[in-house]
Each structure stands twice: as structure tokens, then as C-alpha cells.
Amino acid sequence: MLSFADIQATAELHKGGAKSVAAMLPEVASDKQLLANSDAYYLSMMSRRVFRAGLKHELVDNKWPAFERAFHGFDPYDVLMMSDEDLEAQMQNREIIRHFGKIRSIRSNAQMLREISQEFGSFGRFLADWPVDNICELWFMLKKKGAQLGGLSTPRFLRMVGKDTFILTDDVVASLISQEIVDKKPTSQRDIRSAQSAFNKWHEESGLAMSHISRIVSFTANVDYAYP
């Protein structure tokens, strides 16, 4: 396993220097920013991620104002009041994307989000308090309790709202494989935890956000790791 200093040096070599790398790093929200967002905001972003999966993001984003109207601004309580018939009626709404499994997931995830909010005070508080050194456990929990949140959907949702997380993109996985941290794309909880351990080590070495480490690691994919 490489030191993070070697990883960063390789990323800067491939992307034209430290400034170029820094310009491509994602934004990470502070705890204060996470707390400031409403539960409706988080349900909207979670739902948008679900609909983005497998589709062009621009297509989904262009239709999102219509989704906001159709689902009561994504207020979790109001969404939970939607009956099965209300959800089925949205299949006739030509302004939104009519995928019934994903439409149903909005109400299911509203239930999950509301339960978490009631326990922790708000969903933002729940996210802000979750430690980054076991962020993959948050992935597992949201996948288990929510709907349509498997694969990369949960970490991508977290990245969308600014919660610090790494993401196991193809480029990141290629780098992890080349360093023999994993031997294939991590899908089991054991292998994902192995990836988490590597990111924890790099986090300790660098002091950087997991999101930044993840992006920098992705810049090193498909390169020769034979160092003098």
C-alpha cells in the first residue's frame, strides 16, 4: 500500500500540478452546513440521486422542479400521507420520470428519514454526527433501511449533500486493486471495510477530507506504481 504522499505526487504529475488537482476536488460541507439543511432538502436530494441512477443527470435535474411540485416539496410528513393511489397517479404525470419502483422509493425513504430525524433531532444532525472513519457503515445502514440506495447511490447521495465520504468509482477501485488493498471491485461488506481501512490510513497521514483523498486516488488509476 502506497503512502499518501506518493499517491498525491502521482496525481499531481498526471493532472498538471498541485493547483490543478486542488481545483478538481469536491466541496465538503461543514457540520454547521449539514445542520442548516431541512429534512425536505435531504429527501429531495436522496430522491434525485435515486432517479439519476442509470440516467443522464441533466435529464433528471431538468425535471426536478416538477418532482418538487408532485411530491409536496419533499416534506417527509406530506410524502408519507400520499396513498398508494396517489403514487400510482404519478405514473400519468408526464412532467416527471415515470419509473414506479423509484416513485415508490420516495415514500419509503421519507419513512426512513422521518424515523431517523425523530431519533436524532434532524437528518442533518444525524449526518453531521456520523464519523468519517466508519462512513461505510452509514452506507450499509441507509441501504438496509432505505429503498433504491444500493451500489454507489448512497455514497453519491452523501457527496451531493456535502457529507464527507470516499466513493468506490472505477478509477478508485483500479487504484486499490493495483495496491493489493482489494482484489476485485468491492461489493461485500468485508471488502468495503478493507477499503475504508486504507482511506482511514491516508486520512491520518494527510489530514485531508475523505472526499478529497478519494478524488486524488482516482487520478492515479492505470499508472505504473513501481517507485524507486
Side-chain angles (χ1 to χ4, degrees):
M1 177 175 167
L2 295 174
S3 71
F4 190 73
D6 283 341
I7 290 172
Q8 188 155 20
T10 303
E12 291 173 3
L13 178 65
H14 280 252
K15 295 298 180 180
K19 288 185 178 180
S20 295
V21 169
M24 292 184 278
L25 299 180
E27 293 186 12
V28 178
S30 66
D31 288 351
K32 183 178 180 180
Q33 289 170 321
L34 292 171
L35 287 167
N37 293 321
S38 67
D39 288 350
Y41 166 80
Y42 287 114
L43 181 58
S44 177
M45 296 297 277
M46 185 180 292
S47 302
R48 190 186 299 207
R49 173 54 217 165
V50 167
F51 276 88
R52 277 182 172 183
L55 294 174
K56 291 184 178 180
H57 293 183
E58 183 180 7
L59 170 66
V60 176
D61 294 348
N62 287 341
K63 290 181 175 289
W64 212 248
F67 274 94
E68 293 278 354
R69 293 191 295 271
F71 292 94
H72 309 289
F74 287 98
D75 180 276
Y77 178 81
D78 290 339
V79 171
L80 283 172
M81 292 299 100
M82 297 179 74
S83 65
D84 291 344
E85 291 75 17
D86 292 333
L87 297 182
E88 290 168 2
Q90 293 302 326
M91 291 297 290
Q92 307 305 315
N93 185 350
R94 295 181 178 274
E95 294 186 332
I96 69 170
I97 297 166
R98 293 173 291 174
H99 183 299
F100 194 53
K102 292 183 177 183
I103 287 173
R104 287 191 302 178
S105 78
I106 296 174
R107 189 176 64 182
S108 297
N109 288 332
Q111 179 66 43
M112 173 189 68
L113 196 146
R114 184 169 169 81
E115 289 174 357
I116 290 173
S117 183
Q118 288 175 334
E119 180 177 355
F120 291 90
S122 71
F123 193 76
R125 167 63 67 185
F126 168 72
L127 291 184
D129 288 349
W130 196 284
V132 296
D133 62 0
N134 72 344
I135 197 69
C136 69
E137 301 300 328
L138 177 57
W139 301 0
F140 304 151
M141 190 274 274
L142 293 179
K143 176 184 176 181
K144 180 179 179 180
K145 292 190 174 184
Q148 301 272 347
L149 293 175
L152 295 182
S153 285
T154 290
R156 289 197 183 279
F157 155 68
L158 295 175
R159 181 70 62 81
M160 287 169 67
V161 300
K163 175 62 179 177
D164 194 18
T165 184
F166 63 93
I167 299 181
L168 295 173
T169 64
D170 289 344
D171 285 344
V172 170
V173 170
S175 181
L176 297 180
I177 291 173
S178 71
Q179 297 181 65
E180 299 183 347
I181 295 166
V182 296
D183 58 9
K184 62 183 185 303
K185 184 176 179 66
T187 54
S188 70
Q189 291 190 3
R190 182 192 66 183
D191 287 346
I192 293 172
R193 289 186 179 113
S194 294
Q196 173 84 70
S197 294
F199 276 93
N200 287 349
K201 183 176 185 298
W202 292 326
H203 179 63
E204 291 171 5
E205 289 178 15
S206 68
L208 295 176
M210 292 289 190
S211 296
H212 294 176
I213 295 169
S214 181
R215 184 65 58 83
I216 291 168
V217 169
S218 76
F219 295 155
T220 69
N222 301 319
V223 299
D224 185 359
Y225 284 94
Y227 284 87

